[in-house]
Amino acid sequence: MKKYLINTCFLLLSALVFSQDLPENPEEGKCYVRCKTPDIYKNETVNVAVAPEYKKIVSHPASYKTVTERVLIREAGQQITIVPAVWGNEEVTYYEKEDGTRLEIKDAIFNHGFETVETKAASASWQMSEKMPGCESDNPDDCRYWCYKPSPAEFKTMPVEKLISDAQVVKVTVPGIKRTYNKRVMVKKPKTLIVETSAEYKTITKSVLVKDAWTEEVVVPAVYRSITKQILVQKGGLTSWKSVDCTLVDNTPLPINWDYSSATLNDGAKRIIDARLLPILNTGVAVFIESHTDMRGSSSDNQDLSERRAKAVTDYLISKGINRTQLYAKGYGESRLLNKCSDNVTCSEAEHSVNRRTTFRVVNQK
C-alpha cells in the first residue's frame, strides 16, 4: 500500500487535495489513513431446551394382610338313638386371596430432531471498490466508489428431543385365589331318640387387601443448553482521517518464532503482539496482516499454513477486544520470497528464516 505522504507540495496543490476528500490541515511529514467507527455488538445468552420436561410414573404394588377366621364346618344337630340321622356334605367356597390389580408402566416416547437458532443477526458494512481501469489519478482513493454490502445472518443447528407420548399406566386385573371347605349337614332327622350334637368349627387363614396398587408422578425437569449470539447495538460508519507514523504504512515485521509447520501462537508470540501491534490497533486504525513461509514443503501446504498463521493472529487480537472491522489478513505461502532460497536452491536455516515471516501495515478501513 502506498503512503499518504503530505508534504510541502500540499500548498501548491491545495485545490486538488480538497476536491479528493483528503485530510484537512495536514502536518508535514505525517501519513494519514481513513478510520471508521466499528459496529458495536453485545452478547446475549439464549437458553434452548434440548430435552423437554416430562412426567415419570412410579408404581407401587398392592399390599395385603393375613387374617384368621373361625368358620363353621359342622352345624349343631340332633342324633336319634334308634334311627340315626342321615348327613350329607356341602362344599363352601371362600377367597383365600381377594381380587386385585397389577400395574404396567409404558415409558414416555421421544423423537430426536434438530432446532436452528440464529446466533448472529444480519448486518451490512461499507466497502471500497477497486480502482477503475484507466484512471489517470495518482491518488489511491480516486476512481473508486463505496458500497454498503450486507452480511448474512449466522445460524446454529443443535439436536433436541421432543415428547411424542408421555408415560402411561395400564391396570391389569389379578384374580384372587379361591378355596373351599366342606361342612356336613343333616339330610334326614332321626325318628326316635333325639341326641343333640354340637357344632364344629375350623380356623382358616386368608389374605385381605389393605391398599390396592397405586402410582405417584415424578416430574423430570427439562434440560436447557445456553448459547451466545451477537446482537448489533450500534452501526458503525465513516469518520475522519487519522495521522499515523509513516513507517507503519509499510510492512512492519512481527518477530514471531513459529514452531515448525504450526499455526499456534505460543506465549512469546502473544507478548510480541501485545507489545507491538495491540497499542496501534487501540488507537482505532486498521491493519493488514501478512504471513509468509519459506519454500520447504509443497506450495499448497505452505499456502494453507500461511493463511492459518494470519488467521491465528487476527483471532488472538479479536479475543483481546479488537473489532474485526479493523483487521485484514492474508497468507501468501512461498510466493513472496525475500532472497534466493527458492526450489532446488540450497540455503541455510538462517536464510530460510528470512522468508518465514509475519508482518503488518496500517491501511484504510473499507
Side-chain angles (χ1 to χ4, degrees):
M1 180 178 180
K2 297 181 179 180
K3 297 180 181 179
Y4 292 108
L5 182 60
I6 301 176
N7 50 32
T8 55
C9 293
F10 174 81
L11 298 176
L12 301 176
L13 302 174
S14 58
L16 178 62
V17 170
F18 287 123
S19 66
Q20 295 178 357
D21 189 27
L22 291 176
E24 297 181 4
N25 303 318
E27 298 181 27
E28 293 186 8
K30 288 285 187 177
C31 293
Y32 294 82
V33 293
R34 186 183 290 278
C35 300
K36 68 176 182 178
T37 57
D39 293 343
I40 299 176
Y41 292 87
K42 72 174 181 179
N43 291 333
E44 181 176 291
T45 301
V46 179
N47 291 326
V48 179
V50 297
E53 178 183 288
Y54 66 96
K55 178 178 67 177
K56 182 179 180 181
I57 300 176
V58 180
S59 66
H60 300 275
S63 58
Y64 295 84
K65 70 176 181 179
T66 301
V67 297
T68 58
E69 184 177 345
R70 188 168 178 262
V71 295
L72 179 66
I73 61 173
R74 183 174 178 176
E75 292 180 342
Q78 294 175 333
Q79 183 177 354
I80 300 175
T81 303
I82 299 173
V83 180
V86 178
W87 295 87
N89 292 324
E90 181 180 337
E91 186 177 72
V92 179
T93 301
Y94 70 95
Y95 280 96
E96 184 180 68
K97 182 177 181 180
E98 296 181 353
D99 294 342
T101 57
R102 173 170 52 84
L103 301 178
E104 293 183 355
I105 305 301
K106 291 186 177 180
D107 295 333
I109 300 175
F110 301 91
N111 182 32
H112 296 276
F114 295 88
E115 184 171 329
T116 301
V117 178
E118 183 182 36
T119 60
K120 182 177 180 181
S123 63
S125 61
W126 288 103
Q127 295 187 11
M128 180 182 283
S129 70
E130 296 295 329
K131 194 168 184 178
M132 296 178 62
C135 180
E136 297 180 357
S137 175
D138 292 331
N139 192 310
D141 284 341
D142 283 353
C143 306
R144 296 188 178 189
Y145 56 87
W146 287 91
C147 294
Y148 193 59
K149 295 190 175 182
S151 298
E154 296 181 7
F155 298 86
K156 182 176 181 180
T157 300
M158 61 182 63
V160 298
E161 287 186 353
K162 295 185 177 179
L163 182 66
I164 296 177
S165 63
D166 215 338
Q168 303 179 28
V169 180
V170 178
K171 288 188 175 183
V172 179
T173 302
V174 179
I177 300 174
K178 293 182 179 180
R179 293 286 186 268
T180 61
Y181 63 89
N182 294 323
K183 71 177 181 179
R184 295 187 68 193
V185 294
M186 187 168 56
V187 178
K188 189 176 181 180
K189 293 182 179 181
K191 295 181 179 180
T192 54
L193 182 61
I194 299 175
V195 178
E196 299 292 336
T197 59
S198 301
E200 295 182 9
Y201 296 89
K202 178 180 179 180
T203 301
I204 61 172
T205 301
K206 63 180 181 179
S207 295
V208 179
L209 181 66
V210 177
K211 184 178 182 180
D212 208 350
W214 59 284
T215 62
E216 63 175 336
E217 297 181 357
V218 178
V219 177
V220 179
V223 178
Y224 292 88
R225 179 177 297 171
S226 296
I227 63 171
T228 301
K229 67 176 183 179
Q230 291 184 336
I231 298 177
L232 181 65
V233 177
Q234 182 177 343
K235 185 65 185 174
L238 292 177
T239 57
S240 60
W241 294 91
K242 184 180 290 292
S243 64
V244 296
D245 187 340
C246 288
T247 59
L248 296 178
V249 298
D250 290 326
N251 277 324
T252 302
L254 278 174
I256 297 175
N257 294 320
W258 295 101
D259 294 333
Y260 178 73
S261 191
S262 172
T264 300
L265 291 172
N266 54 36
D267 292 339
K270 293 177 181 179
R271 286 193 293 270
I272 291 171
I273 295 173
D274 291 345
R276 300 196 179 190
L277 186 51
L278 195 57
I280 297 172
L281 287 165
N282 283 334
T283 66
V285 300
V287 298
F288 193 102
I289 299 167
E290 296 182 5
S291 188
H292 306 265
T293 68
D294 56 37
M295 47 70 61
R296 291 176 294 183
S298 69
S299 176
S300 60
D301 287 345
N302 286 334
Q303 179 63 36
D304 176 72
L305 178 59
S306 66
E307 290 175 357
R308 288 190 289 116
R309 285 176 174 175
K311 185 177 184 299
V313 176
T314 59
D315 287 347
Y316 175 70
L317 289 168
I318 291 171
S319 73
K320 299 292 284 187
I322 299 302
N323 194 287
R324 65 177 65 250
T325 61
Q326 294 177 248
L327 301 173
Y328 307 92
K330 185 175 181 179
Y332 290 92
E334 58 182 76
S335 64
R336 296 187 178 184
L337 302 177
L338 297 179
N339 54 24
K340 64 178 182 178
C341 299
S342 59
D343 292 339
N344 302 320
V345 176
T346 301
C347 291
S348 65
E349 179 60 34
E351 290 173 316
H352 282 305
S353 66
V354 173
N355 297 319
R356 193 169 56 248
R357 66 197 185 278
T358 299
T359 63
F360 72 93
R361 67 181 186 273
V362 175
V363 296
N364 280 334
Q365 280 185 274
K366 298 179 180 180

